[in-house]
Amino acid sequence: MRSPSWMWDELLLACALVVENGWRELREGDWRVDELSNLLRSLPLHGDKARSIPGFRSTGSVSRKTTDLATNHPSYQGKATRCGRLDHEMIARFTADPVTMLKAAKAIEAGISSGELARIPEQPDEVAEDGATALEGRLLARWTLARERNPKLRQRKIDRARRIGQPLQCEVCDFHFGRFYGGLGKDYIEVHHVTPLHVSGPCETKLEDLALLRSNCHRMCHRNHAGESWRTPGMLRAMITESGASRRP
């Protein structure tokens, strides 16, 4: 078996290391390469079989990947190594917004070190429906979807809305499941984290961090589009207003 291709999450961590090293490659024997190799081998992305493949995310393969990322940066003066589309996209992302990308890498590292990410099973819809790779990658998308599907968190948000007299309707388009579907839609609404993990980092969720959304608006807040992998409910509401579209179902 050959080692599986590098995924977005893995490239994110490798490129973060290159950026922190001043956009320079890292050689075998560097303790940071050893550390990243061990981390990549622990990621819940390729299954247990991959770890038995000789060379799978070895220190040599990690070092070579840092070379690919460093030598294909626009400021590099020498001859670039050959690399793939995702490598180039990752370089472009880090070049355009290094702060946000480094935060995303740190969030993955924190989730792995705490053991939380390893406990979360694969989630439906963790890969964008258009096939594009969101900024967060599969692991942070998995984490986000898992926490937004937490029934206890959803119930706490709904109970809070009832106590303060807030209608159980979408905070973007005002859609109310109960009014539209009658008894079938009574008390139904989805819960969305306003700030994604790659911005907030792993933190305790407060009810103020959550929004009540209709299913369609929820997906639009998460959809990877035109270089943006997320938007707040307020941003989405403004986009609807600007486009002149009706917020009615």
Side-chain angles (χ1 to χ4, degrees), residues 60-245:
S61 68
V62 171
S63 175
R64 287 192 296 274
K65 182 55 67 177
T66 68
T67 299
D68 291 340
L69 295 166
T71 62
N72 282 275
H73 187 266
S75 67
Y76 185 72
Q77 297 298 313
K79 183 178 179 180
T81 60
R82 293 183 62 183
C83 64
R85 177 187 61 82
L86 276 185
D87 300 67
H88 286 293
E89 187 176 343
M90 185 62 68
I91 293 167
R93 291 272 195 170
F94 265 99
T95 302
D97 191 358
V99 173
T100 298
M101 297 300 286
L102 286 171
K103 284 183 177 179
K106 295 302 181 187
I108 290 178
E109 291 173 0
I112 292 297
S113 63
S114 68
E116 187 163 358
L117 268 173
R119 292 191 294 268
I120 300 173
E122 289 191 28
Q123 299 286 315
D125 306 324
E126 68 184 39
V127 178
E129 77 284 350
D130 58 3
T133 303
L135 182 152
E136 300 90 343
R138 288 186 67 178
L139 292 180
L140 291 186
R142 183 179 302 176
W143 195 347
T144 296
L145 290 168
R147 64 178 185 167
E148 291 188 349
R149 289 167 177 156
N150 182 335
K152 293 182 180 178
L153 199 59
R154 175 180 176 273
Q155 193 58 52
R156 285 175 54 207
K157 180 65 175 179
I158 289 176
D159 291 344
R160 165 74 177 276
R162 287 194 179 117
R163 285 198 304 271
I164 64 176
Q166 177 184 356
L168 294 183
Q169 64 186 37
C170 179
E171 295 179 30
V172 171
C173 70
D174 300 330
F175 182 84
H176 192 291
F177 283 91
R179 286 199 293 265
F180 193 83
Y181 292 105
L184 177 63
K186 183 181 179 183
D187 296 336
Y188 183 81
I189 196 74
E190 295 188 8
V191 170
H192 168 71
H193 280 70
V194 175
T195 306
L197 273 166
H198 74 265
V199 175
S200 68
C203 60
E204 181 181 356
T205 300
K206 300 178 181 178
L207 294 184
E208 291 76 14
D209 301 327
L210 304 173
L212 302 177
L213 295 183
R214 177 189 189 182
S215 311
N216 288 357
C217 292
H218 195 175
R219 290 185 70 87
M220 291 300 101
C221 282
H222 281 293
R223 189 166 190 261
N224 188 40
H225 177 69
E228 294 181 342
S229 62
W230 67 283
R231 52 207 53 81
T232 66
M235 292 164 63
L236 183 60
R237 191 178 184 104
M239 291 173 65
I240 294 173
T241 301
E242 185 178 347
S243 70

